[in-house]
Amino acid sequence: KDLNVLSALLHIWSDLLRSLTTLVEAIVILTEPSFVSGKVDGVCALIVCSIITLTALAAIISWIKELQLHIEGDIVTNKESMTEYSSLSQSENDDKDTIHISI
């Protein structure tokens, strides 16, 4: 999953949702003059905010999982690097302790 694409899609989703609720608000206010426009706008804003919050929480969970994988990958990579470095250092030290005699 590409988190940048997910973020962009969430942004587009929130813009689309707000535009659609604005359209629905306009239709409701024009067809039902008894509704107070401020209340209709408030209800629609709460609906949009709730949906955006839920999708944002899903995105945050994805980001946290990706971060955990990244951190675990760094830890594994660092352990492997240290193991390789340790074995190389040991073999270099072994070569230093060995005396080679040629005849």
Side-chain angles (χ1 to χ4, degrees):
K1 294 178 184 180
D2 190 357
L3 296 178
N4 290 331
V5 173
L6 178 62
S7 298
L9 287 174
L10 286 175
H11 185 85
I12 291 169
W13 169 251
S14 65
D15 287 345
L16 175 68
L17 194 58
R18 187 60 194 160
S19 297
L20 287 175
T21 57
T22 303
L23 178 66
V24 170
E25 287 174 42
I27 293 170
V28 167
I29 291 169
L30 288 175
T31 57
E32 294 294 328
S34 62
F35 288 141
V36 178
S37 61
K39 288 183 180 180
V40 173
D41 185 48
V43 169
C44 288
L46 287 174
I47 292 169
V48 170
C49 287
S50 300
I51 293 171
I52 290 172
T53 301
L54 291 176
T55 55
L57 287 175
I60 289 171
I61 291 169
S62 296
W63 294 325
I64 290 171
K65 287 179 182 178
E66 191 70 27
L67 180 62
Q68 286 175 338
L69 290 175
H70 181 70
I71 290 171
E72 289 172 1
D74 284 348
I75 291 171
V76 170
T77 303
N78 287 338
K79 284 183 180 179
E80 290 173 356
S81 298
M82 291 303 293
T83 303
E84 291 173 12
Y85 177 75
S86 176
S87 64
L88 287 175
S89 296
Q90 184 63 36
S91 65
E92 289 172 1
N93 288 336
D94 289 345
D95 290 342
K96 289 179 185 175
D97 294 339
T98 305
I99 300 174
H100 298 283
I101 301 175
S102 4
I103 300 177

